[in-house]
Amino acid sequence: MPSLFAKIIAGEVPAQFVFQERLWVAFMDIKPTNPGHVLLVPRAESPFISGLPEETLAALGAYAARLVAAVRQVAAADVNVVLNDGPAAGQVVPHAHFHVIPRSGGAHAPFAGHYAYRDGELERWAVRLRAAWDG
Ligand code: AMP
């Protein structure tokens, strides 16, 4: 059965995409840790990163670096990249993905809780992130 993220990639569940390319896509997390939180998701479906095709893994670095730079620019913040590799590590959607999260406050700031977007705010972040992605 396809994962939620496979359905988003197939267009069966709506999402605000930052980019959609051959091997990787990125879309806004609907329940962000901080505003501007983006998910970097492979089209290939595997619960664990180690199960992804070689080609997908080889392309990861360039996409991660470019997406982190876009989030850094739009959020005017530093950035965390988080992988929850398996349910005991906090993974809820069993389709490997990276969280790209704007961050401020330094080493001792809490990394928990969620930000609630106001009406239209997630879409506005997506517009700005798409523009930064396109450079
Ligand atoms: P994880 O716990 O690493 O599996 O993260 C799953 C993430 O997917 C969470 O941060 C959720 O807020 C996010 N999420 C759940 N449903 C959706 C959705 N329909 N569109 C975008 N993000 C989602």
Side-chain angles (χ1 to χ4, degrees):
M1 185 173 143
S3 70
L4 169 64
F5 289 171
K7 290 180 184 168
I8 288 175
I9 290 168
E12 294 163 11
V13 172
Q16 283 290 327
F17 284 89
V18 175
F19 73 82
Q20 298 180 71
E21 298 208 354
R22 187 172 67 85
L23 297 172
W24 289 85
V25 307
F27 50 83
M28 305 304 296
D29 193 307
I30 52 166
K31 206 175 166 200
T33 299
N34 286 321
H37 180 163
V38 178
L39 300 173
L40 176 60
V41 185
R43 287 186 187 271
E45 199 174 343
S46 160
F48 301 108
I49 189 173
S50 57
L52 291 173
E54 215 171 286
E55 183 189 24
T56 298
L57 291 172
L60 171 61
Y63 284 115
R66 186 169 162 190
L67 185 60
V68 167
V71 171
R72 170 181 294 282
Q73 180 190 321
V74 172
D78 286 339
V79 176
N80 284 111
V81 177
V82 175
L83 167 69
N84 298 328
D85 201 51
Q91 186 182 37
V92 173
V93 179
H95 181 139
H97 56 279
F98 292 89
H99 298 255
V100 180
I101 307 169
R103 191 81 190 287
S104 58
H108 302 295
F111 195 60
H114 287 288
Y115 175 84
Y117 283 120
R118 293 178 292 275
D119 274 358
E121 190 183 1
L122 178 151
E123 290 77 8
R124 288 193 291 277
W125 273 96
V127 167
R128 293 161 63 207
L129 285 162
R130 281 194 286 271
W133 174 263
D134 290 336

